[in-house]
Amino acid sequence: MLMYVNASSKLPFSLFGLLSYLEPALMFVVAIVILQESFEATQWITYGLIWAATLTVVIDLAIHLYRQIRSQKAVQSIHIEQN
C-alpha cells in the first residue's frame, strides 16, 4: 500500500488513472491465458467496458500529448524566428 501511495504522488494523474484501468484488464488476461479460467457472458461484457474505457483514456492522453508537442514546436519556431 505504501508503494501505491508513493507511486501516486510521483506519476502524472492521467498515467496513474490509465494504470488503474490496466490492472484489472491485465488480471483478466492472466486469468484467461495462464490460469485458463472460464468466464460468463456478463464478465465478458464487464471487461469489454473496461477495455473501452481504457481505450478512451489512451486516445485522450495521445491527443493531449500531440497538442502539447505541437504547441512546444510552435513556440520553438517563434523563438528561432525572433533570434
Side-chain angles (χ1 to χ4, degrees):
M1 185 61 129
L2 291 175
M3 291 171 59
Y4 184 82
V5 171
N6 190 25
S8 70
S9 65
K10 293 183 180 186
L11 292 174
F13 186 70
S14 59
L15 178 61
F16 191 72
L18 175 63
L19 293 174
S20 296
Y21 276 107
L22 283 177
E23 180 185 4
L26 291 174
M27 294 291 279
F28 170 76
V29 171
V30 168
I32 293 289
V33 174
I34 296 174
L35 302 176
Q36 298 179 351
E37 293 283 334
S38 61
F39 275 71
E40 297 176 12
T42 55
Q43 292 169 312
W44 284 107
I45 292 169
T46 301
Y47 277 97
L49 293 172
I50 291 170
W51 278 107
T54 302
L55 183 61
T56 303
V57 171
V58 167
I59 290 171
D60 182 57
L61 181 59
I63 290 170
H64 176 73
L65 289 175
Y66 173 75
R67 288 179 181 163
Q68 186 177 14
I69 290 169
R70 190 175 64 181
S71 117
Q72 287 175 352
K73 286 183 181 179
V75 169
Q76 287 174 350
S77 68
I78 291 171
H79 181 68
I80 290 171
E81 290 174 6
Q82 290 177 349
N83 290 333

